[in-house]
């Protein structure tokens, strides 16, 4: 901020107010990145490969850089309802820690409802390396069968218990991917997906019992990744054999013209890695100007996983299960600050089918059933 005043107290007041506004904006635009896949910002990007990871690696790890933020995105789904609940911790300005929660709820009758809450560092309770945390009256804690979350916003109360351990956790990015900026990195993990989930949601005074499936994804970075990207994507899916397939990626902006990095990986029902491959080329087979966001997006796309083109994954999105225009949910003042970073920030969620067409994957083993269904998330940043 390049402002001055002859009155030091006036300067302090202005800076505190500006920092407060920006601390809220970091929560909003952090939502854009909270559940993502892999990135190309390193000379060694061809070596990107998913691997197993640990609970400690996905735990709370604060950094001092202004671009730092960490997010844990817990999801839930059943035949009628889709929920995405995100816990965020970030820095904006030297020595400032900001945190908050966001909740996205979609049901077939009422469409999408979106709410957030922002807090200062005084409301955060977390220990380095631990996944358990508290942000004011929202929390993640260890339950009898696995992690349990509680989230309170102005319009909702959410409680979900997940039945799972951490043995199936995968580092989608293969650990930290180092960015061009000195000492900067980004990292993404898939903690678990499509596991039994129970709880309840109170929304606008109405209580709903939850009994479905859920998952969690984790993102950690100490640099403002939006400076490089147009959009981010994540696909998490499962087949009839209980095998899970993940695809994620990064579409670059003018700083990386024409560049993209996506990876595809699969696990067997026990959590053993079947294969992990980098997408060497993508081909859009069908596309549209998406009516809600105005972005031109693929409807059907093919990812090639080997040099010969004999191994590919075809992804076909079906119907929406959530759509958010981020700027419509914030004040005019906050909207101004967010526009400094994003032109048109949207989040879109789709039920999506995919088919793996490979006689053999480049490295590893093929799933028993090559047809998958899951949720594909677009995090749109700039056209």
């Amino acid at each position: 901020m390049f402002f001055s005043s002859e009155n030091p107290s006036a300067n302090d007041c202005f800076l505190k107010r500006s920092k407060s506004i920006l601390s809220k904006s970091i929560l909003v635009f952090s939502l854009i990145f909270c559940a993502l896949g892999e990135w190309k910002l390193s000379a060694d990007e061809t070596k990107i490969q998913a691997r197993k990871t640990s609970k400690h690696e996905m735990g709370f790890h604060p950094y001092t850089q202004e671009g730092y933020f960490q997010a844990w995105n817990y999801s839930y789904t059943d035949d009628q309802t889709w929920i995405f609940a995100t816990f965020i911790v970030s820095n904006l300005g030297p020595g400032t820690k900001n945190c908050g929660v966001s909740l996205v709820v979609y049901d077939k009758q009422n469409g999408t409802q979106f709410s957030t809450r922002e807090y200062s560092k005084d409301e955060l309770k977390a220990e380095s390396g631990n996944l358990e945390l508290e942000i004011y009256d929202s929390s993640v804690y260890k339950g009898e069968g696995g992690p349990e979350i509680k989230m309170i916003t102005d319009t909702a109360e959410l409680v979900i218990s997940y039945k799972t351990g951490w043995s199936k956790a995968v580092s989608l990015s293969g650990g930290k991917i180092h960015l061009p900026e000195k000492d900067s990195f980004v990292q993404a993990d898939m903690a678990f997906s499509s596991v039994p989930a129970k709880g309840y949601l109170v929304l606008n005074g109405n209580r709903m019992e939850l009994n479905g499936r859920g998952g969690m994804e984790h993102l950690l970075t100490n640099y403002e990744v939006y400076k490089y990207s147009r959009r981010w994507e994540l696909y998490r899916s499962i087949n009839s054999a209980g095998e899970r397939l993940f695809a994620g990626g990064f579409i670059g902006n003018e700083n990386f013209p024409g560049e993209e990095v996506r990876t595809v990986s699969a696990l067997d029902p026990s959590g053993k890695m079947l294969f992990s491959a980098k997408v060497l080329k993508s081909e859009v087979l069908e596309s549209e100007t998406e009516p809600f966001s105005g972005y031109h997006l693929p409807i059907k796309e093919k990812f090639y996983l080997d040099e010969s083109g004999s191994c590919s994954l075809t992804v076909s999105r079906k119907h929406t299960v959530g759509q958010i225009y981020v700027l419509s949910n914030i004040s005019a003042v906050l909207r101004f600050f967010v526009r400094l970073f994003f032109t048109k920030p949207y989040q879109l969620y789709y039920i999506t089918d995919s088919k793996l067409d490979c006689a053999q994957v480049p490295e590893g083993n093929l799933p028993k059933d090559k047809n998958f269904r899951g949720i594909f998330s677009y995090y749109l940043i700039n056209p």
Side-chain angles (χ1 to χ4, degrees):
M1 294 289 183
F2 298 98
F3 300 92
S4 63
S5 169
E6 293 181 359
N7 185 344
S9 61
N11 270 341
D12 292 342
C13 181
F14 179 84
L15 289 172
K16 287 179 181 178
R17 181 174 180 273
S18 298
K19 194 173 289 290
S20 174
I21 293 172
L22 286 171
S23 70
K24 292 186 177 183
S25 68
I26 191 69
L27 172 67
V28 176
F29 62 71
S30 290
L31 303 180
I32 305 294
F33 310 112
C34 62
L36 311 172
E38 289 68 60
W39 303 269
K40 174 188 188 303
L41 294 176
S42 167
D44 295 328
E45 58 85 21
T46 56
K47 299 179 181 179
I48 292 175
Q49 188 172 8
R51 60 163 173 78
K52 302 295 290 184
T53 189
S54 66
K55 181 180 178 181
H56 179 271
E57 193 169 354
M58 295 180 292
F60 174 60
H61 294 289
Y63 285 81
T64 59
Q65 290 92 338
E66 286 200 26
Y68 159 73
F69 73 84
Q70 190 168 8
W72 300 266
N73 185 54
Y74 289 85
S75 59
Y76 168 87
T77 181
D78 57 33
D79 292 339
Q80 300 293 324
T81 308
W82 289 263
I83 298 172
F84 303 92
T86 305
F87 296 80
I88 293 172
V89 182
S90 68
N91 284 348
L92 191 65
T96 300
K97 185 182 297 179
N98 306 292
C99 56
V101 297
S102 76
L103 182 63
V104 179
V105 178
Y106 174 87
D107 68 76
K108 293 180 179 179
Q109 290 184 336
N110 301 305
T112 303
Q113 299 184 63
F114 173 48
S115 58
T116 66
R117 269 191 176 181
E118 304 88 19
Y119 299 100
S120 74
K121 62 181 181 180
D122 297 329
E123 278 74 48
L124 173 67
K125 295 181 181 179
E127 295 182 6
S128 181
N130 287 346
L131 274 165
E132 293 77 22
L133 58 84
E134 293 182 18
I135 301 178
Y136 193 59
D137 52 2
S138 297
S139 61
V140 178
Y141 54 96
K142 182 180 179 180
E144 292 183 3
E148 299 188 12
I149 67 169
K150 179 177 73 172
M151 183 173 289
I152 308 293
T153 70
D154 293 337
T155 58
E157 176 184 355
L158 174 69
V159 174
I160 301 179
S161 300
Y162 297 91
K163 188 177 180 180
T164 183
W166 301 99
S167 61
K168 300 179 182 180
V170 175
S171 174
L172 296 174
S173 57
K176 292 181 174 63
I177 294 179
H178 295 284
L179 310 180
E181 297 295 326
K182 184 179 179 181
D183 299 326
S184 60
F185 69 87
V186 66
Q187 173 184 341
D189 307 291
M190 179 69 68
F192 53 86
S193 70
S194 195
V195 303
K198 289 186 177 182
Y200 66 86
L201 170 68
V202 180
L203 185 62
N204 299 320
N206 299 314
R207 181 179 172 116
M208 177 192 311
E209 299 300 322
L210 304 176
N211 188 0
R213 313 285 292 183
M216 190 271 269
E217 303 103 30
H218 164 251
L219 176 69
L220 170 64
T221 179
N222 66 347
Y223 188 71
E224 302 93 331
V225 194
Y226 63 83
K227 293 180 178 179
Y228 294 95
S229 52
R230 293 185 185 278
R231 75 174 188 259
W232 299 67
E233 304 172 349
L234 176 66
Y235 177 51
R236 54 285 221 198
S237 61
I238 191 169
N239 64 11
S240 62
E243 298 162 318
R244 291 163 171 78
L245 181 141
F246 308 128
F250 158 89
I251 309 299
N253 60 16
E254 62 275 4
N255 295 318
F256 290 84
E259 294 290 344
E260 63 181 54
V261 165
R262 290 159 164 160
T263 62
V264 177
S265 56
L267 304 179
D268 72 10
S270 70
K272 180 181 178 181
M273 185 80 69
L274 290 172
F275 77 87
S276 176
K278 181 179 182 294
V279 176
L280 302 180
K281 184 179 70 171
S282 62
E283 179 184 4
V284 176
L285 304 178
E286 185 180 351
S287 64
E288 68 169 355
T289 299
E290 197 280 320
F292 180 72
S293 67
Y295 279 74
H296 195 75
L297 299 173
I299 297 175
K300 187 174 183 180
E301 193 168 11
K302 195 169 186 178
F303 301 152
Y304 293 93
L305 307 182
D306 64 359
E307 294 287 356
S308 66
S310 62
C311 182
S312 63
L313 177 73
T314 301
V315 178
S316 304
R317 62 177 170 92
K318 302 301 181 182
H319 58 86
T320 182
V321 291
Q323 50 189 20
I324 304 165
Y325 178 42
V326 175
L327 298 186
S328 68
N329 293 276
I330 56 179
S331 69
V333 175
L334 185 54
R335 188 176 299 119
F336 168 77
F337 282 94
V338 175
R339 281 198 179 277
L340 295 178
F341 302 96
F342 308 120
T343 303
K344 296 173 63 180
Y346 287 85
Q347 297 176 43
L348 307 176
Y349 304 89
Y350 294 93
I351 295 295
T352 299
D353 292 338
S354 64
K355 183 176 182 180
L356 194 62
D357 184 14
C358 302
Q360 179 60 47
V361 290
E363 292 183 18
N365 301 304
L366 285 167
K368 294 177 181 178
D369 182 356
K370 299 180 181 180
N371 295 286
F372 293 81
R373 167 163 280 206
I375 297 176
F376 196 107
S377 303
Y378 284 108
Y379 302 88
L380 307 176
I381 304 164
N382 293 300

